[in-house]
Amino acid sequence: MTVSVTFCGAAGGVTGSCYLLRTDGGDIIVDCGMFQGSKTVRELNYGAFPFKAADIRGVLLTHAHIDHSGLLPKLVKAGFNGPIYATEPTCDLLTYMLPDSGYIQETEVERLNRRNVRRGRPEVTPIYTREDAEKTLKRLQPVDYHEWREVLPGLRVRYWDAGHLLGSASIEVEVDDEAPDGEPRTLRLLFSGDIGTGEAVFNDAPEGPKNIDYLFVESTYGDRNRPEVSDAERREMLAVEVRAAIQAGGNLVIPSFAVARTQELLVDLATLFNRGKLPKADVFVDSPLAQRATEVFAKHLSHDDARGLAHPNFHMVPDAEASMQLARVKSGAIILSASGMCDAGRIRYHLKNNLWRPESTVLMVGFQAAGSLGRVLQGGAKHVRIHGDEIDVRARIRTLDIYSGHADQDMLLRWTKERMPVSRRIFLTHGEDGARAGLQQAMINAGIEESKIALPMLDDTVMLKRGQAKQAEFKPRLPAGEMSRDDWHNRYAHSVTELSEKLRALDSNEKREALLEKVLQDIASA
Ligand SMILES: [Zn+2]
């Protein structure tokens, strides 16, 4: 009997979640997420999977977020033919999210190819299309929380509410095994998925089983504790930001994950409007996916929770043309658009239209992965490139870290302790290097043996029975650390900006030419 796990994503970074679980009964994967962040990291989406898609017998999906589900259509395109197990709300959300993602892949590549033709570069094909996404939906198999289901001979799974997003789950896996003396025994694994805070607008507290052999825990906020805020305090903090933005005289642009984050913001904004805490302002929801997701939330939520999703000030932007027309609105509008990390989608147009205006405000309300445009803006960049255009950043860039769907350090620690005893190993995944190290230290301080905690890197393989790492069967696709930092594209953009600012600051053309000459000499001798 052999059981192994390969970390095919979200190891040393927060995106691209995917575990390959190999057993004698067959191979399955847990999650199949898209990589987000720097260009170097995103290029992984175009490369081959580190396994044969046709050999995979099933997918266990923790939740609908694109960094966990976004490469499912690529898996199907590559020949995967098995069931995808997910809770019913997750299936409902995917019905809209995957085709939307396919559409984004198609349009982004179309735009890129128009540029590539002009620059004499080869054309690119999309990772997958809307049609691939539609085919993927046919593979979905709804599962209920708390009920065991046999997915392969000798392999059972049970889903627990992770409290992170509508339908989100931690997944318990039992594999039939035998002890050294031949006695039958069971190997118990638990994949946390993303763990919620227990305080979010729509979610319950995360739960899970006890007594695990191998625990896989996310660590997105592993090095941070957020202040505890009540519903009223959270709304007041949002109101302060919105009022300041309106007072500044421009628009307020909020990059927001279409699913969950947008709906949470809508409910809070509706409450603030109704209680007279905000002046009347038009709120534009410019994401077709957010509109669909709002309908799914309305279906699965109680009547009271769902009521805040509509308000006379809210306007759903119907199509791309209406989205373009928002460029004419110069002040007083609140624009919610996706993607949440500013990497793709309509938000990039709104940033292009508003970043250069000093009276505009951009408010970050979600986690921004290393290398993503959102993180670059948070870092104080003065210029950014969007769709190949250089844009000056003069807008106010603000961050409100109270809407996260992720547990912070204390909550992750509490969740882990509730799973005890863990007999063999705790793997920390889904966190950038600093966050993971922070959670590791916190666990050690809390009395968990250091030797029990492992920090796997991308494409590492671990033999679970013997509890020791086996030689990786393939070369890691990225060097260690790459998923936690800016890549050369980010640094290149920064260097160009530095040079152009330096040139402008010099007081004569002679000095400018001398500087350029020096730079060119360095380049020539490199
Ligand atoms: Zn998530």
Side-chain angles (χ1 to χ4, degrees):
M1 180 79 192
T2 37
V3 181
S4 75
V5 166
T6 304
F7 299 86
C8 304
V14 293
T15 65
S17 274
C18 184
Y19 302 92
L20 168 64
L21 177 62
R22 295 203 142 128
T23 71
D24 288 353
D27 298 350
I28 57 170
I29 58 174
V30 180
D31 287 343
C32 192
M34 188 171 279
F35 289 95
Q36 296 166 312
S38 74
K39 259 191 192 168
T40 305
V41 170
R42 279 182 283 148
E43 270 161 20
L44 291 176
N45 295 322
Y46 289 87
F49 286 113
F51 46 78
K52 251 179 88 183
D55 292 347
I56 303 299
R57 305 272 302 273
V59 178
L60 311 178
L61 186 65
T62 61
H63 65 291
H65 278 149
I66 282 298
D67 62 319
H68 292 256
S69 70
L71 290 187
L72 285 170
K74 177 182 158 178
L75 189 74
V76 170
K77 187 181 168 187
F80 169 73
N81 210 3
I84 300 168
Y85 299 99
T87 64
E88 204 184 321
T90 299
C91 294
D92 281 355
L93 288 170
L94 289 180
T95 305
Y96 302 112
M97 291 175 73
L98 294 181
D100 177 80
S101 177
Y103 176 73
I104 289 176
Q105 304 315 318
E106 287 180 50
T107 48
E108 300 274 319
V109 160
E110 222 174 79
R111 188 183 309 106
L112 179 65
N113 280 340
R114 281 201 296 273
R115 285 217 307 278
N116 280 351
V117 167
R118 290 200 296 271
R119 292 186 293 191
R121 292 190 194 165
E123 291 200 9
V124 186
T125 43
I127 306 165
Y128 55 83
T129 61
R130 229 188 142 98
E131 206 188 318
D132 298 319
E134 300 284 353
K135 280 186 206 152
T136 306
L137 299 176
K138 301 207 172 81
R139 314 236 61 86
L140 291 172
Q141 288 257 354
V143 293
D144 288 326
Y145 285 126
H146 307 137
E147 282 183 15
W148 283 108
R149 179 184 286 236
E150 179 150 50
V151 301
L152 285 178
L155 193 150
R156 296 165 297 282
V157 303
R158 183 160 59 159
Y159 284 51
W160 298 82
D161 188 354
H164 163 73
L165 167 72
L166 194 66
S168 70
S170 297
I171 304 178
E172 183 183 5
V173 179
E174 271 192 5
V175 189
D176 287 343
D177 188 16
E178 49 183 44
D181 59 6
E183 273 293 296
R185 50 153 285 160
T186 317
L187 203 58
R188 289 162 55 77
L189 281 52
L190 181 66
F191 296 90
S192 73
D194 287 357
I195 301 169
T197 61
E199 299 168 350
V201 183
F202 304 128
N203 302 312
D204 292 331
E207 51 166 21
K210 282 180 181 307
N211 201 357
I212 303 297
D213 293 317
Y214 292 98
L215 185 64
F216 302 80
V217 192
E218 71 121 323
S219 56
T220 317
Y221 281 83
D223 57 348
R224 266 180 275 177
N225 276 313
R226 286 186 303 266
E228 266 184 51
V229 293
S230 64
D231 286 357
E233 287 165 334
R234 185 190 63 244
R235 285 187 199 118
E236 183 50 33
M237 287 164 87
L238 176 66
V240 167
E241 291 294 338
V242 175
R243 284 195 295 258
I246 291 173
Q247 225 150 43
N251 293 325
L252 170 60
V253 178
I254 308 183
S256 169
F257 299 102
V259 177
R261 191 59 34 79
T262 296
Q263 291 76 25
E264 287 168 353
L265 286 167
L266 288 177
V267 169
D268 278 0
L269 286 169
T271 309
L272 289 168
F273 283 127
N274 289 338
R275 296 187 183 162
K277 296 276 178 65
L278 286 179
K280 184 179 180 319
D282 287 316
V283 179
F284 296 96
V285 180
D286 187 17
S287 157
L289 175 59
Q291 296 170 26
R292 301 282 133 64
T294 302
E295 290 161 20
V296 176
F297 272 75
K299 170 183 156 193
H300 287 278
L301 292 174
S302 74
H303 182 67
D304 263 6
D305 283 342
R307 220 169 25 192
L309 294 169
H311 190 277
N313 292 0
F314 296 170
H315 313 284
M316 301 293 149
V317 179
D319 49 33
E321 203 177 314
S323 171
M324 305 278 193
Q325 284 181 359
L326 277 179
R328 293 204 216 125
V329 182
K330 309 253 183 309
S331 75
I334 301 172
I335 302 171
L336 274 63
S337 190
S339 76
M341 294 190 201
C342 315
D343 275 345
R346 291 187 187 171
I347 185 65
R348 291 174 78 87
Y349 289 100
H350 298 301
L351 290 172
K352 238 167 140 172
N353 294 333
N354 287 282
L355 275 176
W356 57 275
R357 299 175 196 272
E359 68 274 19
S360 302
T361 303
V362 177
L363 178 63
M364 304 293 177
V365 291
F367 189 84
Q368 307 294 320
S372 64
L373 177 57
R375 179 76 77 90
V376 168
L377 288 170
Q378 280 181 321
K382 296 209 181 69
H383 307 267
V384 292
R385 289 183 86 81
I386 300 178
H387 300 147
D389 294 335
E390 180 146 333
I391 314 285
D392 280 0
V393 182
R394 299 199 204 103
R396 305 160 68 241
I397 309 292
R398 306 282 304 161
T399 294
L400 198 53
D401 206 6
I402 47 173
Y403 281 92
S404 179
H406 285 277
D408 63 13
Q409 186 185 71
D410 282 349
M411 296 165 182
L412 287 169
L413 211 52
R414 198 183 317 144
W415 184 89
T416 302
K417 283 188 188 157
E418 283 165 6
R419 307 288 80 80
M420 295 291 181
V422 174
S423 71
R424 304 221 181 148
R425 198 67 66 88
I426 300 174
F427 296 98
L428 305 188
T429 58
H430 202 290
E432 288 171 8
D433 290 343
R436 221 155 57 139
L439 184 59
Q440 180 190 30
Q441 195 52 53
M443 285 184 168
I444 294 167
N445 295 346
I448 298 175
E449 283 166 62
E450 188 171 355
S451 60
K452 229 173 213 180
I453 308 169
L455 310 187
M457 295 311 293
L458 185 68
D459 294 339
D460 278 355
T461 294
V462 180
M463 301 300 297
L464 294 194
K465 199 171 177 192
R466 276 172 282 153
Q468 48 184 256
K470 193 176 78 170
Q471 190 66 32
E473 285 161 29
F474 37 80
K475 253 178 66 183
R477 288 164 288 166
L478 286 180
E482 188 68 49
M483 288 178 79
S484 292
R485 64 170 185 232
D486 285 357
D487 71 350
W488 74 266
H489 296 280
N490 295 129
R491 286 194 286 275
Y492 169 70
H494 183 68
S495 316
V496 172
T497 301
E498 289 266 288
L499 179 61
S500 111
E501 275 175 9
K502 194 92 196 170
L503 287 168
R504 272 184 271 178
L506 291 173
D507 59 7
S508 75
N509 284 346
E510 286 75 21
K511 287 181 190 165
R512 294 185 185 105
E513 282 176 22
L515 175 59
L516 279 175
E517 191 53 39
K518 194 165 166 288
V519 171
L520 288 171
Q521 271 174 16
D522 281 353
I523 292 172
S525 64

